[in-house]
Amino acid sequence: MLHGNLHFLEGTVVKSSAILVAFVLVCGSVQADPRLGVLDPDRSWDVRPCTIEEAFVSMRSHGVFVEVGLYLSFSSRGSGLSQTEQLEIEFRFDLPEGSIVTDSWLWVGDEIIRAYILDQWTASGIYEGIVNRRRDPSILFKRGPTEYELRVYPVVGPEVRKVKITYLVPASYVESKATVPLPLDLLGASTNPVPKLDVIVWPDGASGEPGILEGQIGASFIPDNDPELGPYHRLRVDRSILDATPALTVSVPQPFRDGVHLSVFDKAGAGYYQLALQPAQLLGRAQARRVAVLVDHDAANSSLSPEAVMSQIQWALESYLTDGDVFNLFVSQIEVRSYSDSWVPADSLSIQAAFAALGTPAQYSSLPSLLKSGIDFVKSAGNEGTLMLVSASDQFKHNETANVLIRDLDMASFGGSIQIVDYQDVGVDQVRIGGVWYRGNGYLYTNLARMTGGQYASMSGSGASFPSLLRAAVVSSGADLTAVDVYTDLASGFTYGRHTSVRSQSFHSIDDAITQIGKFVGISPWEVTFSGIHNDEPFSISVPLSEDIVVPSDSVLETSWVGKQIEELESGPRSNSAINEIVGLSTSYRVLSEYTAFLALEPSDTTKACASCVDESQVPIGIEPEELPAADSLLSIYPNPFTTSATIELTVPREIGAGSAAVVIYDVMGREIRRFDVQAPGGSVQKLTWDGTAADNSRVAAGVYFVVLQTELGTRTARVVRL
């Protein structure tokens, strides 16, 4: 178990609107809130609000990376600036850690201009010169490991400027599914709400059908086909879902064989490879997970109701614990309530019984008592296990009070680990302690996690959804691996330039996949040797990989390796030779670095429109207005909110046959609550009454629900709130 020394530091606090700091993880990664503004270049200090009018995302799986195409259309609507002046858009945003930006496009009229990649000094000079001459450029910078800045000029009056940013993002794994977050946090920077987000996922020949990790939530991917581009899956995320869900995660099944996935870009006996392996499948889980869940709610700090919090925690435990694991449950009250004095088998019936018995936490925080109860329980049960703290408290944001609490908890004698999910997303203060900015209780949580070998993740500013953070916390509660080493080799040849997702000296959960990307020379067959320490015992496992399980890849794999190589060089000493190597790799392979920039210029004798660039955002998504009426004319609910019952009024589309429509009610986790089959003919108006009960006639909890009209033409979704 890792233990660290406390540092007693002075702190200052500011409100979240003043400082751009967000997701704090134990490893130290920090993200900033996205900032979107528009300004007159002659008055650059006067930055005004800016609007994202349209958003579209395309995805394609490439093994351990997923390629994301982000299409955004900007306008100066809501800025209050002159509608006759030529204005400049500035967008500062973060992408997930490890992302690799590979392209930038700018629309000039109906033409797509693909950006050049140049060293940053040259690109900046050209951009500024063009802005001064009032011509059409865009420029994209990398400002830090996860930070980016996009500038677009000009936007005039009601004009909309459209861009595309392409990036590769490393996938996280849920069992055999590669998962990637949708960039919903970027859309939150818009002054006016983005009306919808359209998403398409292209098949790569090896992956399965895409889904949403957090559940259906009233919408799901639908298979479709474009005559020119081929088959794809499409999803429309309506405004009601965007309002109710801070983040969504796309999942794509990957072809694993015996816990290993290998894909290779082979260029005549040399090339690139990428590997993902699942330790739990290779080692087996000889030891049950012991998870004591501590729930602390502060109604003033969260947009989630206590019922929603408990429902989603229950879902996470049922989804990611097995019958061989054990758990216990604690909730904050005046006196902390616990389900049991001992560990309880983690089968679905026991989990359901625990949540039914304890109900919901209080509307106020009792964090010290809750932590003390959980620590005492683990100590009394053999001092082995994981505390999974799920909290919206911010009582201990200052280092003075946090340090006193840690002393009083007597952490030195605690033998377990603490996984922390901070779901505060309202009124988040930010505190500067020892030169580091922390959100809410971030200083306390960071120290608790570091001292016990756990992890701390915050919903505020991270772009991660509450369910995805819960999943990560449950998975990380598994047995730890240390001294991890993954060596990939060929029967005739060797590998080199390897980049592995886990460091040998750090802890790694047995349930988290390990990925590696590297170069090779030689010919198959391949073999993977996986070594480390598990349950205090050293191990070394060699896995031969027959040629039939190797998935062929393409040049995207080469680009991914270059991106990882640039990332490693940027994190090391910044000598002239290192900078020259970064710039050389970046400009040769079109991978953005901290020393280069993507610059798109208006069409000219030397700059031509991109003839090969395909605008995927023009692929049909959903049902055209003439086929299916607008949502408000098709589906309405009243009263809304409701207490005892609500009337669902719907117009059955004329184009469908009788009996081919249904109204389905989902909770925020995407679980089907109630279904009504609509037998009426097309063109008729129908009224249904929902009395707030589920299919088993049990009363549903207060909270947000989604009413979905499902037809053969598509779906329409409305949100309803039960008080």
Side-chain angles (χ1 to χ4, degrees):
M1 192 63 58
L2 291 179
H3 294 277
N5 296 322
L6 293 179
H7 299 281
F8 300 92
L9 303 167
E10 298 298 324
T12 57
V13 60
V14 298
K15 287 295 183 182
S16 59
S17 57
I19 299 296
L20 299 175
V21 179
F23 187 50
V24 181
L25 195 63
V26 171
C27 63
S29 65
V30 177
Q31 287 187 319
D33 294 329
R35 291 194 304 173
L36 175 62
V38 63
L39 55 92
D40 184 331
D42 294 331
R43 298 189 300 276
S44 60
W45 63 89
D46 184 18
V47 181
R48 301 294 187 89
C50 186
T51 294
I52 299 174
E53 300 289 352
E54 294 181 349
F56 181 94
V57 170
S58 68
M59 290 184 167
R60 189 185 300 273
S61 177
H62 293 277
V64 301
F65 282 87
V66 174
E67 185 178 65
V68 179
L70 175 60
Y71 295 77
L72 298 172
S73 296
F74 302 101
S75 82
S76 63
R77 181 164 63 95
S79 68
L81 293 173
S82 169
Q83 295 296 289
T84 60
E85 295 293 329
Q86 294 182 328
L87 306 175
E88 182 179 25
I89 293 166
E90 287 188 352
F91 190 24
R92 298 189 180 187
F93 59 94
D94 280 88
L95 294 177
E97 188 174 359
S99 294
I100 302 167
V101 176
T102 60
D103 213 347
S104 177
W105 297 356
L106 172 69
W107 272 252
V108 179
D110 294 330
E111 296 183 311
I112 299 173
I113 305 300
R114 191 184 189 201
Y116 297 100
I117 188 164
L118 305 168
D119 68 83
Q120 197 172 110
W121 306 274
T122 302
S124 297
I126 295 173
Y127 179 86
E128 295 300 335
I130 291 174
V131 169
N132 292 335
R133 298 198 303 275
R134 299 296 196 251
R135 295 172 66 190
D136 285 354
S138 73
I139 193 166
L140 178 63
F141 300 102
K142 182 180 181 182
R143 296 303 194 190
T146 64
E147 302 91 26
Y148 297 85
E149 178 185 346
L150 173 70
R151 294 160 63 186
V152 182
Y153 181 87
V155 56
V156 181
E159 183 181 22
V160 174
R161 300 307 306 270
K162 182 175 178 179
V163 302
K164 178 190 178 187
I165 300 170
T166 304
Y167 60 95
L168 296 166
V169 59
S172 299
Y173 284 88
V174 176
E175 298 173 344
S176 61
K177 296 177 181 179
T179 68
V180 169
L182 287 171
L184 300 192
D185 55 323
L186 274 61
L187 307 187
S190 177
T191 300
N192 297 288
V194 180
K196 65 182 185 305
L197 173 65
D198 289 327
V199 184
I200 61 173
V201 177
W202 301 100
D204 69 346
S207 302
E209 295 186 359
I212 295 294
L213 182 63
E214 291 80 9
Q216 194 176 11
I217 314 183
S220 60
F221 281 98
I222 299 171
D224 212 329
N225 186 73
D226 184 88
E228 296 182 0
L229 302 179
Y232 61 94
H233 284 78
R234 56 182 171 86
L235 168 70
R236 171 158 290 173
V237 184
D238 293 322
R239 185 68 246 170
S240 60
I241 299 177
L242 293 174
D243 288 338
T245 309
L248 289 173
T249 309
V250 175
S251 64
V252 181
Q254 294 283 350
F256 277 82
R257 179 82 66 87
D258 297 327
V260 177
H261 167 77
L262 177 69
S263 56
V264 173
F265 178 43
D266 194 336
K267 301 192 293 184
Y272 302 82
Y273 74 92
Q274 57 182 352
L275 171 79
L277 64 84
Q278 297 171 322
Q281 287 196 33
L282 295 175
L283 292 169
R285 188 182 291 108
Q287 185 176 10
R289 283 180 291 189
R290 302 180 177 188
V291 184
V293 182
L294 316 179
V295 187
D296 186 60
H297 186 74
D298 188 331
N301 290 342
S302 176
S303 62
L304 297 172
S305 68
E307 293 81 7
V309 170
M310 296 300 286
S311 174
Q312 295 186 33
I313 296 173
Q314 179 181 336
W315 168 83
L317 296 183
E318 289 187 57
S319 299
Y320 302 119
L321 291 181
T322 69
D323 291 351
D325 298 324
V326 293
F327 83 105
N328 201 358
L329 181 63
F330 297 75
V331 298
S332 284
Q333 296 284 352
I334 291 179
E335 293 185 1
V336 173
R337 299 177 61 194
S338 65
Y339 178 62
S340 176
D341 294 332
S342 59
W343 293 111
V344 178
D347 57 85
S348 293
L349 290 178
S350 297
I351 293 172
Q352 292 168 13
F355 280 81
L358 293 191
T360 59
Q363 301 274 353
Y364 50 83
S365 173
S366 300
L367 185 60
S369 299
L370 185 68
L371 280 168
K372 182 70 165 56
S373 297
I375 290 170
D376 287 347
F377 169 76
V378 170
K379 288 180 178 179
S380 68
N383 212 13
E384 290 184 1
T386 297
L387 292 183
M388 178 175 152
L389 174 63
V390 185
S391 173
S393 169
D394 64 352
Q395 294 174 299
F396 296 90
K397 52 180 171 279
H398 296 285
N399 54 294
E400 297 91 348
T401 53
N403 289 332
V404 172
L405 176 60
I406 292 173
R407 283 199 199 99
D408 290 346
L409 290 173
D410 187 21
M411 298 304 300
S413 62
F414 177 61
S417 64
I418 303 181
Q419 309 291 339
I420 302 169
V421 174
D422 179 3
Y423 66 94
Q424 181 183 8
D425 62 350
V426 175
V428 185
D429 291 341
Q430 294 168 89
V431 188
R432 186 176 175 87
I433 303 173
V436 178
W437 287 100
Y438 297 93
R439 283 181 173 260
N441 277 354
Y443 174 82
L444 170 68
Y445 294 154
T446 298
N447 278 283
L448 287 176
R450 280 177 176 160
M451 293 176 69
T452 64
Q455 291 188 357
Y456 153 48
S458 170
M459 187 169 146
S460 172
S462 70
S465 68
F466 185 46
S468 65
L469 294 182
L470 291 173
R471 179 261 163 194
V474 176
V475 168
S476 297
S477 65
D480 283 328
L481 303 173
T482 55
V484 174
D485 182 65
V486 177
Y487 185 75
T488 310
D489 201 5
L490 300 95
S492 176
F494 60 92
T495 63
Y496 63 104
R498 293 178 292 272
H499 300 280
T500 308
S501 62
V502 59
R503 298 176 181 176
S504 63
Q505 66 268 29
S506 64
F507 284 97
H508 187 81
S509 169
I510 190 176
D511 292 291
D512 263 349
I514 298 172
T515 62
Q516 185 179 86
I517 185 169
K519 303 176 74 173
F520 74 91
V521 174
I523 58 175
S524 57
W526 292 75
E527 183 176 82
V528 177
T529 302
F530 173 40
S531 307
I533 298 175
H534 175 224
N535 292 336
D536 298 324
E537 294 290 336
F539 68 88
S540 183
I541 301 173
S542 294
V543 183
L545 303 176
S546 58
E547 195 157 351
D548 64 312
I549 73 169
V550 178
V551 178
S553 187
D554 56 23
S555 60
V556 173
L557 181 46
E558 180 177 34
T559 303
S560 303
W561 183 88
V562 171
K564 296 301 293 183
Q565 186 71 7
I566 289 175
E567 180 183 290
E568 183 172 296
L569 290 168
E570 288 176 337
S571 65
R574 302 295 180 99
S575 63
N576 286 336
S577 59
I579 294 173
N580 288 335
E581 185 176 356
I582 291 171
V583 172
L585 287 169
S586 176
T587 54
S588 298
Y589 291 92
R590 289 184 64 83
V591 173
L592 188 63
S593 74
E594 294 181 22
Y595 299 99
T596 53
F598 276 118
L599 177 68
L601 305 174
E602 69 174 354
S604 65
D605 292 340
T606 57
T607 304
K608 303 298 182 183
C610 179
S612 61
C613 294
V614 177
D615 185 357
E616 300 158 302
S617 66
Q618 299 305 305
V619 171
I621 300 291
I623 306 301
E624 296 301 322
E626 61 269 21
E627 294 176 329
L628 199 60
D632 56 359
S633 66
L634 186 72
L635 184 63
S636 60
I637 305 169
Y638 55 86
N640 191 5
F642 76 98
T643 303
T644 56
S645 65
T647 298
I648 303 170
E649 183 173 316
L650 60 122
T651 302
V652 183
R654 295 184 181 278
E655 295 81 0
I656 73 169
S660 60
V663 171
V664 186
I665 300 172
Y666 297 93
D667 65 10
V668 294
M669 294 305 303
R671 293 176 292 206
E672 183 176 312
I673 299 298
R674 189 77 179 269
R675 173 180 290 268
F676 301 91
D677 292 325
V678 180
Q679 301 297 331
S684 63
V685 177
Q686 298 295 307
K687 292 183 180 180
L688 303 171
T689 299
W690 182 41
D691 60 2
T693 61
D696 61 0
N697 293 320
S698 63
R699 200 78 174 164
V700 301
V704 177
Y705 295 85
F706 297 98
V707 180
V708 182
L709 173 61
Q710 298 179 344
T711 78
E712 59 195 21
L713 297 178
T715 64
R716 279 293 182 268
T717 302
R719 187 175 65 161
V720 62
V721 178
R722 181 177 180 272
L723 300 178

